[in-house]
Amino acid sequence: MTARPLAAVGRPHRLDVLIAGGGLLGGVLLWTMNLHGGPARLGLPPSLTLVALGAMSVAELLRRTAPMAALALAVPALALDITTGTLVATVLMFTDVVYAAVLYGPAAAARRIPLHSVLVTVVTAVALTALWQNPQVVTAVIGVALLTVAPAWTGLIIRNHRDAAESARLRAEQIALLAERDRTQAVAGERARMARELHDMVANHLSAIAIHATAAQSIDDPSATREALGVIRENSVQGLAEMRRLIGLLRDPKATEGAQEPAATPTLDGLDALLGQARAHGGSSGLSFVLDDARRPGGTDGPRPTAPAELAAYRIVQESLTNALKHAAPGEVRVRLAHERGGALTVTIRSPFADRPGPRVPGTGTGLVGMRERTALLGGAFEAGPVSGPAGRVWLVRAALPAAEEEEQR
C-alpha cells in the first residue's frame, strides 16, 4: 500500500493537532523525569527516544488526512522507542495511529490491518515461547495484543457501525426522494384526471350554448330565438349542476364513498339521453344522431364492463358528440358499441367529415388528447382520424377498452 504524496495531504484536523501536541509534551515530560521503560538496548543512545517520540507525534498529525502514511511512520518509530527506553506516551500514540488507520484508511486496509495484528501477536507469542522460557511471556504477549489487536479491531467495529449508519441515511434519503417523486406523479396524475373530467363534463354544454347563441344572433325569427334561449338555459343549468357535483366530490370525497352517484359517474345506460341532447343541439346544423348498441345480440346482455371502462366509454362518446357538433358536416353521426372476442368493449363513432377552415365554435384542442389518455390508462387502443367510406369521407373515432369483468360464479 503506497502512501499519498505530501502535496496531496491536507491540513491536519484540529483534534489531531491537539493529540500530537499533547503526546509530544507528555513524552518530553516523562523523559525529563526519567520515567521510561528501562535502559537503551543494542548500544543506542537514550536520546533517540525523543526522536521516536517526535516521529510518532508527526504520525499523529497525519492520522486522519493520510492514515496509511501515518502507520508507515509509526511502526519504525515504535521499534526505535522500544530499543531506546520505551516512553508510555509514544506507545499510546502508536495504538491511536493503528486505530485511525483502520477507521479512516481505505476499505482494503481496514480489512487487512486487524488480521495482520492478530498474525503479529501469534508470531510474537510463538517466538517468545520458543526463545524465552519464562512465565512473563504471557504478559509480553498481552502487551503486544493491546498494542495491535485491540486498537485495530476497535477501529474496525466503529467503522462498520459508521458505514451501517451512512448506508441507513442514504437509504432514508432515497426513500424520501422516491416518496417525493411518487407524490409529484400522483399530483400530476390527479391534475390530469381532474382536467379531463372538467373538460368532458362542461365542454358539451358550453359548445351547445355557443352554437345556439350564434344561431340566435344570425336568425331573425322570434320562435327560433326563444327555442335557442331555452336550449342555452337548459345547458347552463345542467353545466352548473355538474360543476357543483364535481366540486363536491373534490371537497369531500369520503362523503360519496359507498354511495351511487349516477350523475357524477355516468354509465353507458345514459347514452340515450346523451344522444337526445345532441339531437336537440345539432338539428339546426343538419346533424342526426344514431345509437347502434350491438352489445346485446339476440336480446341477451353481454359481459358488463368495469366502472372505469364504462366511464371512459361514456366520456369518449360525449367528447366525440361535442366534436361532431363543432366540426362535422351535415349528415348522420353513428355511435356503435360492441363486444369483441375476449370481452373487450369497443366504442366507434362515425361522423361526416367537413373540410372547413375552423370549427363552428372555438375549442381547447385537448379533446382527442383526453380520449387517448383515458384509453391508455386502461391499457386499450385508440385511433381517430378521417377515413374513406361508402358514403364518403368520415371522421372515425374508435376505442377498444379491455376491461370486461368476469361473470360472477353462481
Side-chain angles (χ1 to χ4, degrees), residues 139-227:
T139 304
V141 172
I142 292 175
V144 173
L146 291 176
L147 289 177
T148 57
V149 176
W153 285 91
T154 301
L156 181 61
I157 293 172
I158 295 178
R159 180 177 181 130
N160 290 338
H161 281 289
R162 183 194 66 185
D163 293 344
E166 181 67 16
S167 299
R169 185 185 67 82
L170 291 177
R171 284 196 299 270
E173 291 180 354
Q174 292 175 353
I175 292 174
L177 289 175
L178 291 175
E180 178 63 20
R181 182 182 301 175
D182 291 341
R183 187 193 68 82
T184 303
Q185 292 177 350
V187 170
E190 185 64 16
R191 286 168 63 101
R193 187 186 70 83
M194 290 169 56
R196 287 194 301 269
E197 289 296 323
L198 185 61
H199 175 272
D200 293 342
M201 290 174 62
V202 179
N204 185 40
H205 297 295
L206 293 182
S207 298
I209 291 172
I211 291 173
H212 286 275
T214 303
Q217 288 179 337
S218 60
I219 299 176
D220 189 10
D221 184 356
S223 61
T225 301
R226 284 194 299 271
E227 181 182 355

Side-chain angles (χ1 to χ4, degrees), residues 293-305 338-339 343 345 404-405 407:
D293 193 349
R295 295 177 300 159
R296 306 178 180 87
T300 59
D301 293 339
R304 184 76 177 182
H339 282 297
L345 175 65
E405 294 179 340
E407 296 185 358

Side-chain angles (χ1 to χ4, degrees), residues 330-394:
E332 182 185 84
V333 178
R334 179 171 291 272
V335 178
R336 188 175 190 274
L337 303 177
H339 282 297
E340 292 184 347
R341 292 182 179 178
L345 175 65
T346 59
V347 182
T348 307
I349 303 96
R350 296 175 181 269
S351 56
F353 181 75
D355 190 7
R356 61 174 72 247
R360 295 186 179 92
V361 293
T364 60
T366 59
L368 291 178
V369 175
M371 289 189 283
R372 185 172 288 106
E373 288 178 350
R374 287 183 182 277
T375 308
L377 289 174
L378 296 175
F382 178 83
E383 58 179 334
V387 295
S388 298
R393 299 193 72 189
V394 297

Side-chain angles (χ1 to χ4, degrees), residues 204 262 265-279 289-296 304-305 309-321 333-338 345-349 401:
N204 185 40
T265 55
T267 64
L268 294 178
D269 296 335
L271 288 184
D272 290 328
L274 188 63
L275 264 73
Q277 295 177 0
R279 294 186 188 98
F289 297 85
V290 177
L291 176 60
D292 180 12
D293 193 349
R295 295 177 300 159
R296 306 178 180 87
R304 184 76 177 182
E310 195 163 2
L311 176 61
Y314 182 91
R315 294 302 189 195
I316 289 172
V317 172
Q318 184 181 43
E319 179 60 26
S320 298
L321 296 180
V333 178
R334 179 171 291 272
V335 178
R336 188 175 190 274
L337 303 177
L345 175 65
T346 59
V347 182
T348 307
I349 303 96
L401 306 173

